[in-house]
Amino acid sequence: MEGLNEVLFRIVENDQDGKHLIAIRDIPAGKVIFSESPLAQGPSPDHPNDDDICIICLSELEHPKVCSNCFWPVCSSECGRSSRHKMECATLAACARESEEDLLPLRHLLVMRCLQMKHRDQYSWEKLLDMEDHHGVQTLIRNIEDELSDMDRMELKYFIRESCGMGIKSELDIVADIVQSSSIQVECELQEPFPAVYLTGGLLAQACVPNTVLRFDRDQKYLLSAFSGRKIAKGEKLTFCPLKNLIRTGTRERRRKLNKRLINCFCDRCTDPTECQSHSSAFICQKCPPSNHGGQRPGVILPRNPMADESEWACQICNYTMTSDTADKLLHRLRDSLEATKCEDSEVKFKDFLRTNRDILHPNHYLMVACKESLFNLKTSDARALDISIADKLEAVDLGLDLLKLVDILEPGLSEMRGKLLLTLGTTLQEMLSQEIMNRMESPDQAELDERHIYSAFHDALFCFEEAKKIQRLNKTAKGREVYSTIKSSIHVLKDMKRDFEKSYNSGTN
Ligand SMILES: [Zn+2]
Ligand SMILES: [Zn+2]
Ligand SMILES: [Zn+2]
Ligand SMILES: [Zn+2]
């Protein structure tokens, strides 16, 4: 029996990690560790247009509509009269826009809503302040100049103090830091992602190979469920990374992005020059002689200290070194060449990049991976899947299997990324198999794959679907459950196909 209220974690605090969560028993993969509703949410800071989104439910507005009291955009009288809006309506009424061209500072609403807790919900307010510096030694310490040049923070302060007239001083920076470093991006189907503050989820420790997976349910007011993404041992820290597409990042770039969230990551991936043996940032050494078999050169160039921006880079074999400046310039040039290439056919462009740079970048370098992933997505897109050849599908499968090896290191277990990849890979294998079997039924001369190949494709496809099913199970939304049952029936179809193929193959050879 699965205990519904079994407590799996507790909050602890130490100098190293600040306030954080640890497992108090061994947790198998795929278990709900905790669920909670957000304390507050707000429009995304990246939202481009300010009057086409309801500030309460965050849904898009087809026609501009505003609250008749504060004149901020709301979708319906339901949202306008909600208790959540009542709390802020008077405050917002004081800072309605002065002219049509004025943009409403939607991006500051989340901090404003958190600050409102002070006089409305003492319990939540104290819990919120508990999140201060909870990243421990991973909290980024900013110098005065950085703080003074932070225009966004200046504007936020002006909005809160002057426009809203909220008499909050000392806690303003604390709460703004908490929102910046610990808010969580909520991602739901058919909705633009937006930030929200969760009082327990916000305490997850930062790591770039996290052990939890977060899911959100739009129909349950953005309830967050934190699952164990893999087996977690008793005493282990519960970790999370706010960045997406972790296989497409290298330590320097990833740490820069995390710095913007006031996090200075010291995780196992960030401190290891090989990034857990993924070699996501590695260059291939041009000074090492090519290996005997004419294959790739053996040496890879890695930063001596990946945490230091000025660190020297060195070849692991011949000790050739380059400055961080040279490494940066090389990388910029390659990234520019990838982004600038104007080519009608993206497939040609990505293949060109992979070919031209295979002697410069490690095959797992994040720029190579970005190319491989785009190529894989292109080849497996719905529009393309129908009419591409078996050879094309094989190429997509090889790309997918290659990416899967990397995902298994950097986003292992039940991560969303791994789920998506496995599902696409399984589907492509299944389509390839049915195409091959149909061709063979028409005429045996049309066989393109040998039997060994077909059996291994069946094996891989079943593996992909079974794994994808475990991951899809975590998605409890209506759409999520629909995909889950599609995967289940794909497994049935595949097993039937395999049985039929075995039968006809055996009768054919006997
Ligand atoms: Zn609304
Ligand atoms: Zn209002
Ligand atoms: Zn890290
Ligand atoms: Zn070398």
Side-chain angles (χ1 to χ4, degrees):
M1 271 284 289
E2 196 169 295
L4 269 180
N5 297 313
E6 193 181 15
V7 179
L8 299 173
F9 74 101
R10 81 189 157 89
I11 301 175
V12 291
E13 184 170 14
N14 60 31
D15 291 345
Q16 173 77 20
D17 297 306
K19 207 163 254 156
H20 63 286
L21 314 174
I22 59 160
I24 55 168
R25 59 191 73 212
D26 291 340
I27 308 175
K31 254 195 159 301
V32 182
I33 306 175
F34 59 87
S35 290
E36 62 172 331
S37 302
L39 173 75
Q41 63 244 35
S44 162
D46 307 319
H47 189 76
N49 192 349
D50 72 337
D51 57 10
D52 66 350
I53 188 169
C54 170
I55 59 168
I56 297 300
C57 67
L58 305 177
S59 58
E60 265 177 57
L61 302 177
E62 272 170 36
H63 310 287
K65 245 184 185 172
V66 293
C67 163
S68 55
N69 185 42
C70 67
F71 296 106
W72 282 61
V74 290
C75 70
S76 59
S77 51
E78 215 179 313
C79 277
R81 276 193 252 114
S82 66
S83 58
R84 282 185 40 221
H85 185 58
K86 270 193 194 132
M87 293 206 307
E88 64 192 16
C89 187
T91 311
L92 292 177
C95 50
R97 68 180 117 197
E98 279 156 20
S99 77
E100 284 277 312
E101 291 89 61
D102 269 3
L103 285 180
L104 291 167
L106 295 184
R107 64 186 186 287
H108 299 320
L109 282 180
L110 181 54
V111 175
M112 196 267 296
R113 287 170 178 165
C114 288
L115 286 166
Q116 279 195 327
M117 294 295 153
K118 184 174 184 181
H119 301 296
R120 303 193 191 259
D121 182 347
Q122 196 60 32
Y123 173 79
S124 300
W125 175 248
E126 278 165 20
K127 295 269 276 182
L128 178 73
L129 292 187
D130 263 0
M131 284 160 75
E132 186 183 5
D133 291 334
H134 88 87
H135 288 294
V137 291
Q138 297 198 107
T139 306
L140 181 77
I141 313 286
R142 297 207 292 178
N143 58 34
I144 291 284
E145 281 132 60
D146 286 344
E147 273 177 31
L148 288 177
S149 60
D150 184 347
M151 287 313 289
D152 204 56
R153 184 61 63 90
M154 297 294 158
E155 284 169 23
L156 168 75
K157 286 181 177 172
Y158 183 85
F159 172 70
I160 299 290
R161 289 186 189 143
E162 311 300 327
S163 311
C164 297
M166 291 169 77
I168 288 176
K169 283 214 162 69
S170 57
E171 292 108 347
L172 207 163
D173 271 314
I174 297 173
V175 171
D177 282 354
I178 288 170
V179 169
Q180 200 170 339
S181 69
S182 305
S183 60
I184 292 174
Q185 191 83 345
V186 178
E187 291 193 24
C188 295
E189 284 123 14
L190 304 174
Q191 177 147 23
E192 194 186 353
F194 61 86
V197 171
Y198 291 89
L199 294 175
T200 305
L203 290 175
L204 289 163
Q206 162 64 32
C208 296
V209 187
N211 60 16
T212 65
V213 173
L214 306 187
R215 297 287 184 153
F216 307 91
D217 192 343
R218 184 180 180 172
D219 297 334
Q220 290 199 64
K221 297 187 171 150
Y222 305 112
L223 184 81
L224 171 157
S225 299
F227 291 90
S228 41
R230 56 167 172 79
K231 225 158 84 184
I232 299 176
K234 181 178 173 180
E236 220 181 306
K237 263 187 295 186
L238 301 181
T239 57
F240 170 70
C241 183
L243 305 180
K244 301 284 151 198
N245 278 322
L246 291 168
I247 60 165
R248 295 171 74 152
T249 64
T251 294
R252 280 150 83 88
E253 297 66 30
R254 202 173 54 251
R255 281 173 48 82
R256 271 176 214 151
K257 283 185 192 158
L258 288 167
N259 281 176
K260 291 199 178 121
R261 296 187 54 115
L262 308 179
I263 295 171
N264 186 17
C265 191
F266 283 96
C267 76
D268 291 347
R269 181 177 178 190
C270 286
T271 48
D272 174 3
T274 72
E275 303 187 38
C276 309
Q277 299 299 320
S278 69
H279 292 95
S280 294
S281 303
F283 296 112
I284 290 168
C285 179
Q286 305 297 305
K287 302 290 173 197
C288 276
S291 69
N292 298 340
H293 316 293
Q296 209 171 52
R297 290 167 204 267
V300 289
I301 302 181
L302 297 167
R304 289 194 199 274
N305 174 8
M307 316 283 286
D309 259 356
E310 333 68 48
S311 167
E312 188 178 59
W313 291 57
C315 170
Q316 309 298 292
I317 304 271
C318 74
N319 262 324
Y320 166 76
T321 59
M322 62 176 166
T323 63
S324 72
D325 223 32
T326 313
D328 262 349
K329 279 189 188 131
L330 178 56
L331 213 52
H332 273 134
R333 191 167 56 75
L334 293 172
R335 188 183 294 122
D336 286 351
S337 83
L338 181 58
E339 280 163 10
T341 317
K342 289 263 182 294
C343 188
E344 291 287 296
D345 188 343
S346 343
E347 190 173 329
V348 173
K349 166 179 148 172
F350 295 134
K351 281 186 172 168
D352 265 355
F353 186 89
L354 291 172
R355 197 177 37 245
T356 347
N357 295 303
R358 69 177 166 210
D359 293 328
I360 301 170
L361 297 173
H362 189 280
N364 281 350
H365 189 282
Y366 65 92
L367 287 178
M368 297 294 258
V369 170
C371 257
K372 288 183 197 173
E373 209 194 349
S374 308
L375 207 51
F376 176 72
N377 291 339
L378 202 70
K379 281 184 172 289
T380 54
S381 66
D382 290 343
R384 287 283 301 279
L386 287 174
D387 54 23
I388 68 171
S389 66
I390 287 186
D392 252 343
K393 287 208 168 87
L394 255 180
E395 210 181 309
V397 166
D398 285 343
L399 276 169
L401 290 172
D402 199 20
L403 290 168
L404 185 60
K405 275 191 217 141
L406 190 60
V407 169
D408 280 339
I409 302 175
L410 298 177
E411 300 186 59
L414 306 178
S415 76
E416 207 168 344
M417 169 75 203
R418 190 162 172 272
K420 239 169 54 190
L421 179 60
L422 284 161
L423 183 53
T424 313
L425 197 49
T427 311
T428 309
L429 280 160
Q430 187 176 28
E431 283 164 359
M432 182 181 84
L433 282 165
S434 52
Q435 204 170 325
E436 168 74 14
I437 289 170
M438 294 249 279
N439 289 353
R440 281 170 170 246
M441 267 159 44
E442 266 174 38
S443 149
D445 306 339
Q446 291 197 34
E448 279 183 62
L449 304 171
D450 59 34
E451 276 71 30
R452 194 183 49 86
H453 230 125
I454 294 180
Y455 278 114
S456 87
F458 270 123
H459 173 272
D460 288 348
L462 273 171
F463 170 82
C464 289
F465 281 137
E466 291 289 356
E467 287 290 292
K469 193 175 93 179
K470 286 185 207 160
I471 299 170
Q472 193 62 36
R473 198 181 57 87
L474 311 188
N475 187 341
K476 308 282 190 209
T477 62
K479 173 89 179 128
R481 278 198 288 263
E482 201 183 300
V483 176
Y484 182 78
S485 50
T486 313
I487 298 176
K488 263 172 72 176
S489 55
S490 293
I491 293 176
H492 282 300
V493 170
L494 203 62
K495 283 183 175 163
D496 285 346
M497 264 170 73
K498 184 165 178 246
R499 206 170 307 121
D500 289 348
F501 176 73
E502 277 167 346
K503 244 190 258 164
S504 69
Y505 179 58
N506 287 335
S507 65
T509 50
N510 286 343

